[in-house]
Amino acid sequence: MTSRSPRAAEAGCHVWLADGPNAQAYWERADRLLPGGGIYLTRSARFAGSGILPGFIASGEGCRVIDVDGKEYIDFLCANGPILLGYRHPEVDEAARRQMEQVNSASFFPPALVELAECLVERTSGMAWAVPAKNGSDVVALGARVARAATRRDTLILFERAYHGFDPEWVPGGAGVPASRRDNVLRVAWNDSKQLERVAHEHRTEIGGIVLNPLDQNPALDTIEPTEAFLRMIDEVRDQTGSPLVFDDIRAGFRMHASGSHVALGVQPDLICLGKALGNGYAVSALLGTEELRAAARSIMFTASFAFDAVALRAAVATLEVYDRDDAFARIQRSGERLRDGLLSAAKNTGHRIRYTGPPTMPTLLFEDDPNLDRGRRFSLEAAARGALFHPNLNWFLNASHDDAAIDEAVSIAAEAFDAIPPPADS
Amino acid sequence: MTSRSPRAAEAGCHVWLADGPNAQAYWERADRLLPGGGIYLTRSARFAGSGILPGFIASGEGCRVIDVDGKEYIDFLCANGPILLGYRHPEVDEAARRQMEQVNSASFFPPALVELAECLVERTSGMAWAVPAKNGSDVVALGARVARAATRRDTLILFERAYHGFDPEWVPGGAGVPASRRDNVLRVAWNDSKQLERVAHEHRTEIGGIVLNPLDQNPALDTIEPTEAFLRMIDEVRDQTGSPLVFDDIRAGFRMHASGSHVALGVQPDLICLGKALGNGYAVSALLGTEELRAAARSIMFTASFAFDAVALRAAVATLEVYDRDDAFARIQRSGERLRDGLLSAAKNTGHRIRYTGPPTMPTLLFEDDPNLDRGRRFSLEAAARGALFHPNLNWFLNASHDDAAIDEAVSIAAEAFDAIPPPADS
C-alpha cells in the first residue's frame, strides 16, 4: 500500500505516502468539501505530517483498524481516546443495537439517561449528581458555569497550555473570538506552586473556580505529571478562595485509575468532566458534581437535543459495566507497561535516544535532539508502513483489547522502524 | 395508565397524572441523580407542567411512542425536532447498523465525513464547504466565529428572544456567565426594520455578523414569521456592513423547505447551521459556508472527538437520501395541513378559540385568554390520556410517517380533549 512518491520526495520531509489510491481520492474530496486549516486540525492525519499516517479509516476491531485501501494496522490512537475496550466491542455494540431497536432519540427523558447518571454517581466517590451531554467541551464549559454560579465570581484559574475543548473562552487560537472573552481566565504555569499562590492571593476575591487537567500533556511535548506540592497548593487555593475544583478528566479518564484520574492524583474534585472513553466510541460526555453544587447547577439553563440520544447513553452504561467487570484498567495498564518496556528496549538496541513520558496507558514518544520532529515522523511513517499506528506528535492511547500478542507484534514493528532510521550522529 | 392523583389535585393546576408507576420510579431516581432546575429544563416533561405528559419514553416507531408504563401515543414532538422521517426509520437505522459493523469512531477521518459534507454541499445552493459536528450549539458558535474572523469585528446582531443554543454568549439565563460575555451581542426586536436600521447604522463599524432564525418561535408564544421588509433590511445591513448572515436552521431545517428554510424566506445566507432533523435522531449537526468564507473558517481551531462518529454521519447521509427521494417535505407539509385543518375545526366545533401559528410542519397551538396556559395544559393532559402527545408550551413537530390515518386519529383525540375542557365563559 505504501509507495515511493515523487510528490512526497519533493516535499522534502519524507519519501513515502501512507495513503493508497482510495485515500487519495477521499483527500481530493475532503480538500474541496471541508475547510481544512484549523478545522479538525489535530484530528487530521496530516497533523502528523502529510503522508505519514493513513488519512481515512474504514473499519476497526479490537486493537486493529483497516484503512480505506485495505491495509491493516495495530492501532495505538483509539480514535484519540474514545476506544477504551476495543473497536466494536461486542457487548457495547449489542447494548447500542438493542437500544436502536427501541428508539434512539425520543421526547422527554429516556430511561437510559437516569441509568447512566446512576452508574456514574455510584462509582464516583463524592459525586451526587450527573449531567450526561455530548461533547467533552460541553461539560467543561458547563462545569465552569456551575463553579461561577456557585461562587458568583467570574475569574477562573487555568494552567498554561491546558486544552479544555473548543469553548471560545479557552480554545487555542483566537480567530473569531472577541479579545474580552479571555479576560476572566488566569493562566498559571504548570507545577509552579509559587506563581499559583501569588496569583491566587492577588485575585483572591475574584476567583470562582480552578479548572485542572490531571496531566500537562500537549502535542510534541513530554507529558508532565503534577507534583505533590502543586496539588497541595491547588487545595490551599480552593480552601482560601472557596473555589470549586473543576476536574477535566475527558482525555485521561478511565486510563489513570479505575475510579477516576483524581484518585490517582489524590485530589477530591467538586466537579468532574468525563467524555471520550465513556462510551467506547459512541458520543457521550458527562458532568458530575457534589451535593453542595446542586443548587448552583439548578440555577443554570442548559439543554441539548442530542444529550438524550439513548443509543449513546446505553453504550456508556455497557462500557462502564464491562470496564468494571473485566478490570479493564488493570489490563490496559499492563499492556501499556509491556509496550513501554518493549519500545524502550528496541530504541536502546538500535542506538536511538527517546523520551517516553506520561502514563503507560496514554504515552508520548519523542526522540532526543529532534526539534522538528523529523525522526518522530520518520518513525511513525516506517511503523505505519509495517502495520502499526503510532502518532508522532500526539500522545497515544491503549485499550483493553491490546493483548500480549498484539503488543509484541507492535514492538517488533517498532524495532524495525527504529532500525530503518539513521541513529543520531554521535551514537 | 392515567390515574386521578391526590398529589396533582393538591397542586391545583390539574387532576390527572400522565405517569404510571414505572415513570414515577424513574422520577424518584432522576430527582436524586440529575440536578433538575434549569438543567434539561425545556426537555423535561415537567416543562409542560408536572404530570401533564409522560416523563419517560421507552420506545418509538413511525409516528408513535410508548412510555415506560406501556402506554402508546401518537407523537407530535419528534424528540423536539430530530425525528424527521419517523422513529426507527428502517433505512436510516440500517445505515447506522451497517456502519456499526465497520466502526463507530476511529482515528483520523471516516469516509462518511466526506460523504456527508458532499451531500450537504451538493443539495444546498451557494454553499461550498461543510463542517459536520455534534450539537446544534456547536455549529452556531462556530458560525459566529467564522463571521467574526472574516470581518475582524466582534459585534453580532441577534434578535430578541431568539434561541441559538447553550453558548454562554446567548444562552437564556445568566447564571454562571460573566456579564461581559453579552457585551458583543446587540439584540434587535423581531420584525422591527427601523430599529435594525438604526442599530446597524450606530454600530456600522463594529458589526461582524447577523445571526438569524427563520422564525420567531418561543415557548408559550405565537410563532411570528419574518416580514418581507425585515428580510430586505437584513440584506441591506449585510451589504452596508459587509457582515455575513449566519442562518440558524437547526430547529426549522427540513421542515420549511426541502432545500433549506432560507429558500422559503428568499434569503441567501453566508453560513447555514443544521442540526436536529439532520440525522433522524442520531446526533449530528453541520455548519455550511460559502467559498468566500473558507479562509476565515480555516483560520479557526476547532475539533471535537465525536464529530467523527461515523454511525451518526452515515445516519445523516441516509436521512438526506430518503428525505429527498421520498419528497418527505411535501408529505410532512400535507400531514401538517391536515392536522391544522382538523384541529381548527375541532376547536371551533367545541366552542374554543385557539391560535394555531407557525408552519404546519411545526405548529404552536395556544388558547385565547389563557395567560397561565391552564387551558393549554388541560388540553395536553386530556389528549395524552387519550393517546396523543401535544406540548402545551413548545411548538410541535411532524414527521414523514404521520399518515392520514394517524392524523385523523389524533384529530379525533384532540376533539375529545377540547370537549373535556369547559369552553370559555362567553362562548
Side-chain angles (χ1 to χ4, degrees):
Chain A
M1 208 47 51
T2 303
S3 58
R4 191 169 295 268
S5 154
R7 177 156 69 88
E10 282 162 19
C13 64
H14 55 76
V15 292
W16 300 87
L17 269 187
D19 286 321
N22 290 341
Q24 292 180 37
Y26 273 114
W27 273 124
E28 279 168 30
R29 293 162 73 190
D31 286 338
R32 183 167 50 81
L33 296 159
L34 307 174
I39 301 289
Y40 301 154
L41 176 66
T42 55
R43 184 59 172 246
S44 168
R46 289 180 181 154
F47 190 63
S50 183
I52 305 284
L53 296 174
F56 296 86
I57 301 297
S59 65
E61 185 167 12
C63 64
R64 291 166 196 267
V65 297
I66 299 177
D67 72 18
V68 290
D69 289 286
K71 184 167 168 63
E72 184 178 302
Y73 307 86
I74 304 173
D75 172 88
F76 291 99
L77 309 182
C78 293
N80 282 27
I83 303 302
L84 178 68
L85 303 174
Y87 289 97
R88 287 203 290 131
H89 189 278
E91 288 172 87
V92 176
D93 281 4
E94 178 58 21
R97 264 192 301 270
R98 278 201 312 270
Q99 181 60 52
M100 283 167 65
E101 286 162 14
Q102 300 300 312
V103 75
N104 54 12
S105 293
S107 307
F108 313 124
F109 294 170
L113 180 73
V114 177
E115 283 155 28
L116 176 58
E118 189 160 70
C119 234
L120 289 168
V121 166
E122 283 183 356
R123 67 191 301 290
T124 315
S125 172
M127 297 292 112
W129 50 264
V131 182
K134 218 66 211 167
N135 297 300
S137 289
D138 304 348
V139 294
V140 181
L142 184 61
R145 284 191 70 189
V146 173
R148 284 167 162 162
T151 56
R152 298 177 185 272
R153 295 195 296 264
D154 288 344
T155 302
L156 300 179
I157 291 182
L158 273 69
F159 297 97
E160 280 176 13
R161 293 188 302 266
Y163 183 73
H164 295 293
F166 58 75
D167 187 284
E169 195 164 355
W170 42 69
V171 71
V177 178
S180 64
R181 274 289 179 111
R182 310 291 168 99
D183 285 353
N184 304 109
V185 169
L186 300 170
R187 292 267 186 179
V188 170
W190 183 254
N191 273 342
D192 190 337
S193 306
K194 287 223 158 64
Q195 189 195 6
L196 176 57
E197 184 175 28
R198 193 174 60 246
V199 167
H201 184 74
E202 281 169 15
H203 298 270
R204 61 193 173 281
T205 60
E206 302 152 36
I207 294 168
I210 306 165
V211 186
L212 178 70
N213 284 334
L215 299 167
D216 177 46
Q217 187 173 58
N218 289 284
L221 293 172
D222 294 326
T223 297
I224 304 173
E225 297 183 10
T227 63
E228 275 298 312
F230 183 58
L231 293 173
R232 276 198 310 273
M233 183 56 69
I234 289 172
D235 263 338
E236 271 187 41
V237 171
R238 289 166 74 189
D239 287 348
Q240 288 168 6
T241 61
S243 300
L245 177 63
V246 185
F247 193 78
D248 180 346
D249 209 12
I250 287 162
R251 193 190 302 163
F254 306 98
R255 285 192 173 92
M256 287 182 67
H257 192 284
S259 302
S261 307
H262 60 286
V263 179
L265 266 49
V267 301
Q268 181 56 51
D270 302 291
L271 295 153
I272 296 175
C273 308
L274 297 173
K276 283 197 186 272
L278 179 57
N280 201 54
Y282 292 91
V284 56
S285 63
L287 178 69
L288 282 67
T290 61
E291 192 56 46
E292 289 67 30
L293 291 175
R294 187 188 293 262
R298 289 176 58 86
S299 73
I300 288 169
M301 169 95 175
F302 172 83
T303 192
S305 293
F306 296 135
F308 306 91
D309 163 18
V311 175
L313 297 167
R314 282 273 174 232
V317 171
T319 299
L320 293 173
E321 282 172 1
V322 172
Y323 176 82
D324 291 340
R325 181 198 69 197
D326 292 357
D327 202 0
F329 174 68
R331 294 169 61 173
I332 302 173
Q333 177 84 359
R334 275 197 304 274
S335 297
E337 288 167 358
R338 190 179 184 94
L339 179 69
R340 178 196 60 199
D341 296 348
L343 291 186
L344 287 173
S345 170
K348 193 174 179 188
N349 293 343
T350 49
H352 289 286
R353 295 194 309 274
I354 63 169
R355 301 191 306 275
Y356 199 87
T357 59
T361 57
M362 42 190 302
T364 298
L365 184 156
L366 296 170
F367 285 75
E368 295 282 4
D369 305 319
D370 190 28
N372 301 319
L373 291 187
D374 291 336
R375 282 175 195 282
R377 289 202 186 91
R378 181 71 187 272
F379 171 75
S380 291
L381 174 69
E382 298 287 353
R386 291 167 174 82
L389 293 184
F390 299 112
H391 207 287
N393 42 9
L394 293 177
N395 70 281
W396 313 337
F397 295 91
L398 279 88
N399 73 56
S401 68
H402 281 112
D403 56 17
D404 288 356
I407 296 294
D408 294 348
E409 186 184 343
V411 168
S412 293
I413 288 172
E416 288 180 41
F418 281 129
D419 210 38
I421 312 173
D426 59 345
S427 76
Chain B
M1 208 48 49
T2 303
S3 58
R4 190 169 295 270
S5 153
R7 177 157 70 88
E10 281 162 20
C13 64
H14 54 77
V15 292
W16 300 87
L17 269 188
D19 287 320
N22 291 341
Q24 292 180 38
Y26 273 114
W27 273 124
E28 279 168 31
R29 292 162 73 190
D31 286 337
R32 184 167 50 82
L33 296 159
L34 307 173
I39 301 288
Y40 301 154
L41 176 66
T42 54
R43 183 60 172 246
S44 168
R46 289 181 181 152
F47 191 64
S50 183
I52 304 283
L53 296 174
F56 296 86
I57 301 297
S59 66
E61 185 167 13
C63 64
R64 291 167 197 266
V65 297
I66 299 178
D67 72 18
V68 290
D69 289 286
K71 184 168 168 62
E72 184 178 302
Y73 308 86
I74 305 173
D75 172 88
F76 291 98
L77 309 181
C78 293
N80 282 28
I83 302 301
L84 178 68
L85 303 174
Y87 290 97
R88 287 204 287 131
H89 189 278
E91 288 172 86
V92 176
D93 280 5
E94 178 58 22
R97 264 192 301 270
R98 278 201 311 271
Q99 181 60 51
M100 283 168 66
E101 286 162 13
Q102 300 300 313
V103 75
N104 54 12
S105 293
S107 307
F108 313 125
F109 293 170
L113 180 74
V114 177
E115 283 154 28
L116 176 58
E118 189 160 70
C119 235
L120 289 168
V121 166
E122 282 182 358
R123 67 191 301 291
T124 314
S125 171
M127 298 292 113
W129 50 264
V131 182
K134 219 66 211 168
N135 297 300
S137 288
D138 305 348
V139 294
V140 181
L142 184 62
R145 284 191 70 189
V146 173
R148 284 168 162 162
T151 56
R152 299 178 185 271
R153 295 195 296 265
D154 288 344
T155 302
L156 300 179
I157 291 181
L158 273 68
F159 297 97
E160 280 176 14
R161 293 187 302 266
Y163 183 74
H164 295 294
F166 57 75
D167 187 284
E169 195 165 355
W170 41 69
V171 70
V177 177
S180 64
R181 210 54 90 243
R182 310 292 168 97
D183 285 353
N184 303 109
V185 169
L186 300 170
R187 292 268 186 179
V188 170
W190 183 255
N191 273 342
D192 190 337
S193 307
K194 287 221 158 62
Q195 189 194 6
L196 176 57
E197 184 175 28
R198 192 173 60 246
V199 167
H201 184 74
E202 281 169 16
H203 298 270
R204 62 193 172 281
T205 60
E206 303 152 35
I207 293 168
I210 306 165
V211 186
L212 178 70
N213 284 334
L215 299 168
D216 177 47
Q217 187 174 58
N218 289 284
L221 293 172
D222 294 327
T223 297
I224 305 173
E225 297 183 9
T227 63
E228 274 299 311
F230 184 58
L231 293 173
R232 276 199 309 273
M233 183 55 69
I234 288 172
D235 263 338
E236 271 187 40
V237 172
R238 289 166 73 188
D239 287 348
Q240 288 168 6
T241 62
S243 299
L245 177 62
V246 185
F247 193 79
D248 180 347
D249 209 12
I250 287 163
R251 193 190 301 163
F254 306 99
R255 285 192 173 92
M256 287 182 67
H257 192 284
S259 302
S261 307
H262 60 286
V263 179
L265 266 50
V267 300
Q268 181 57 50
D270 302 290
L271 296 153
I272 296 175
C273 307
L274 297 173
K276 283 196 186 273
L278 179 56
N280 201 54
Y282 293 90
V284 56
S285 63
L287 178 69
L288 281 66
T290 61
E291 192 56 46
E292 289 67 30
L293 291 175
R294 188 188 292 263
R298 289 175 58 87
S299 73
I300 288 169
M301 169 95 174
F302 172 83
T303 191
S305 293
F306 296 135
F308 306 91
D309 163 18
V311 175
L313 298 167
R314 282 273 173 232
V317 171
T319 299
L320 293 172
E321 282 172 1
V322 172
Y323 176 82
D324 290 340
R325 182 199 67 197
D326 291 358
D327 202 0
F329 174 69
R331 295 168 60 173
I332 301 173
Q333 178 84 0
R334 275 197 304 274
S335 297
E337 288 167 358
R338 190 178 184 96
L339 179 69
R340 178 197 60 198
D341 296 348
L343 291 186
L344 288 173
S345 170
K348 192 174 179 188
N349 293 343
T350 48
H352 290 285
R353 295 193 309 274
I354 63 169
R355 302 190 306 275
Y356 200 87
T357 59
T361 58
M362 42 191 300
T364 298
L365 184 156
L366 296 169
F367 285 76
E368 295 282 5
D369 305 319
D370 190 28
N372 301 318
L373 291 187
D374 291 336
R375 280 175 196 281
R377 289 201 185 91
R378 181 70 187 272
F379 171 75
S380 291
L381 175 70
E382 298 286 352
R386 291 167 174 81
L389 293 184
F390 299 112
H391 207 288
N393 42 9
L394 293 177
N395 70 280
W396 314 337
F397 294 91
L398 279 89
N399 73 57
S401 69
H402 280 112
D403 56 17
D404 288 356
I407 297 294
D408 293 348
E409 186 184 342
V411 168
S412 293
I413 288 172
E416 288 180 41
F418 282 128
D419 211 37
I421 311 173
D426 60 345
S427 77

